[in-house]
Amino acid sequence: MNSWVELSESRLAANYRALAEMAGVEVMAVIKADAYGHGAPACAPALARAGARWLGVADVAEGVAVLASLAGVEPRPRILIMSGLLPEDAPAIVEHDFAPVVWTLPQLESLAVTVSRAGAAPLGVHLEIDSGMSRQGVAPGPEFDGILAWLVAHPQLTLEGLMTHFASAEIAGSPQTTLQRERFEQACRAVAASGLRPAWVHAGNTSTIDNGAEADPMAWLARVARTLSARPMVRSGIGLYGYSLPIERAPGFSGPVAARVHDRLQPVMTWKTRVMALSDVAPGEAVGYNGAFIAQRAMRLALLPVGYSDGLRRSLSATNGSTGGWVLINGQRANIVGRISMNLTVVDVTGLSGVNVGDEAVLLGDGITADDHASIAGTISYEILCGVRARQRLA
Ligand SMILES: *Cc1c(COP(=O)(O)O)cnc(C)c1O
């Protein structure tokens, strides 16, 4: 891989602290998908040092890698396995004392059997309520009541957390969020009636903290947590890395849509490569596959050893009719020309001063953000960041 990612530990820590300050409640640092492409083993200790007591990963394999990275870190954050579990995951979850998100009886049964067999201490689990996203979780109702009764009867597992996830957190005045809150409160009432007392109640993401429709977006969560004598927590991922979704207005909503924390977040990732070669082309020469770009004048081109296999989206390609993405070489903008190849990309350095073979080219960072790539590629910053495949190092 001929590109690398430099991670700013100071920005990562500052972003975490800004989010925690704005939230005013515990913030779980979400480092699933290899910390959104930043490298979870690099980010986890940095976030723990910044004060994170909870880390969220996608699966057991990520949890094991993150745990290894935390050797010697005190206090060691607890690790939430967020994206469900397969039956074969239970032994590793119990062995490492990970906190799994659960919502079905078979999940609970496989964990309880594993705890019993291992003679292990009770395992803390987090029960996800499907409050209206129809993705993960159990909706309030008879099935949910059955799970609560099962938990009361099985001391191998303790209900450590009760959680839900919002589908439209970045929409100010979202009626979907209002409905989800109501259903989650309904679930909390059932938990209260069961006698179970989770230590944590958690909901929401970066956009929940950022959404300025309410003066204190965490007030609702804090109130709901109090009804169970639990502590409130919000889970933030994208904000840690310096990005957030734009806050949008729900139809008919006339209140504020200001972003509360967006302006304080700074990109953590700088993705770089080096100029591999320079060449001059005459007017009329084709550049790249299918001659999608024809030089209209004499041009000086720089070849970069990265392409779509590294996560540089092919939709950043440029033809004569449409400009695409750009990179920064010595702080100067160099437009991509022609089609991005699997491992190679050509950029226009005509007229740029002092560009030499071996110079660094910034693919993502200050001056060219994941939001820029996302708007050209028709996606969101999340997908751009997760797609970067490069060596990572803290800087
Ligand atoms: C990914 C995820 C988050 C974090 O979302 P961001 O928008 O990145 O802050 C929070 N909760 C759940 C359940 C998630 O899957």
Side-chain angles (χ1 to χ4, degrees):
M1 275 184 271
N2 283 319
S3 69
W4 69 97
V5 155
E6 295 173 1
L7 303 173
S8 165
E9 178 169 358
S10 62
R11 286 188 177 189
L12 184 63
N15 290 339
Y16 179 80
R17 286 193 293 265
L19 289 157
E21 193 185 307
M22 266 302 163
V25 301
E26 189 75 29
V27 175
M28 176 183 296
V30 178
I31 55 169
K32 67 192 182 196
D34 201 24
Y36 294 37
H38 293 67
C43 294
L47 287 162
R49 283 192 290 272
R53 282 180 288 179
W54 280 91
L55 300 173
V57 301
D59 54 32
V60 168
E62 287 194 343
V64 169
V66 164
L67 190 58
S69 79
L70 292 172
V73 174
E74 282 298 329
R76 203 174 72 192
R78 228 168 127 55
I79 297 173
L80 184 75
I81 309 290
M82 300 175 69
S83 300
L85 58 132
L86 300 167
E88 60 264 35
D89 293 333
I93 287 173
V94 172
E95 180 190 338
H96 300 299
D97 194 25
F98 293 144
V101 171
V102 294
W103 66 94
T104 70
L105 278 181
Q107 290 170 336
L108 292 168
E109 273 155 7
S110 80
L111 289 168
V113 166
T114 308
V115 169
S116 297
R117 274 199 203 129
L123 180 78
V125 299
H126 292 234
L127 186 54
E128 178 152 355
I129 311 304
D130 174 10
S131 56
M133 189 169 176
S134 306
R135 189 176 73 169
Q136 223 173 247
V138 55
E143 189 189 340
F144 177 58
D145 296 339
I147 285 175
L148 295 180
W150 187 98
L151 280 168
V152 169
H154 289 79
Q156 301 98 318
L157 306 184
T158 56
L159 181 63
E160 183 180 29
L162 191 69
M163 62 177 286
T164 196
H165 192 46
F166 296 125
S168 303
E170 74 279 18
I171 311 294
S174 161
Q176 189 178 17
T177 302
T178 304
L179 176 70
Q180 290 197 263
R181 284 182 175 188
E182 282 163 12
R183 290 200 186 145
F184 189 61
E185 286 185 62
Q186 188 188 339
C188 288
R189 284 193 293 274
V191 171
S194 75
L196 293 165
R197 287 293 174 270
W200 296 95
V201 166
H202 50 105
N205 61 0
T206 301
S207 295
T208 305
I209 302 170
D210 196 36
N211 193 329
E214 293 165 283
D216 178 6
M218 292 302 138
W220 169 80
L221 186 66
R223 179 173 62 72
V224 170
R226 258 196 312 276
T227 65
L228 288 168
S229 307
R231 301 185 60 190
M233 177 158 64
V234 59
R235 306 174 300 262
S236 178
I238 196 78
L240 300 172
Y241 313 106
Y243 290 92
S244 60
L245 291 174
I247 304 298
E248 293 170 38
R249 191 184 288 277
F253 179 77
S254 57
V257 293
R260 298 169 73 243
V261 68
H262 170 86
D263 291 348
R264 292 175 60 184
L265 304 175
Q266 292 182 286
V268 166
M269 176 192 289
T270 304
W271 182 23
K272 291 181 177 175
T273 186
R274 280 184 204 287
V275 173
M276 174 131 290
L278 291 162
S279 63
D280 295 290
V281 292
E285 288 296 332
V287 181
Y289 280 117
N290 307 123
F293 183 92
I294 307 285
Q296 302 297 303
R297 54 192 164 85
M299 293 177 81
R300 189 157 179 76
L301 302 177
L303 180 65
L304 306 179
V306 292
Y308 57 78
S309 70
D310 303 286
L312 189 66
R313 301 290 290 250
R314 192 166 173 275
S315 42
L316 299 171
S317 300
T319 63
N320 291 93
S322 71
T323 47
W326 66 94
V327 305
L328 295 167
I329 301 176
N330 303 330
Q332 308 164 93
R333 178 172 162 148
N335 287 333
I336 292 169
V337 289
R339 298 231 163 103
I340 292 172
S341 303
M342 191 179 288
N343 299 96
L344 294 167
T345 297
V346 173
V347 298
D348 178 10
V349 295
T350 314
L352 301 195
S353 57
V355 176
N356 296 302
V357 169
D359 284 357
E360 288 186 356
V362 174
L363 300 160
L364 270 183
D366 291 334
I368 171 73
T369 67
D371 286 322
D372 293 324
H373 279 207
S375 73
I376 298 169
T379 182
I380 52 177
S381 55
Y382 298 65
E383 195 187 6
I384 298 298
L385 294 170
C386 289
V388 173
R389 287 178 47 195
R391 283 175 286 127
Q392 301 136 344
R393 61 179 169 84
L394 282 177

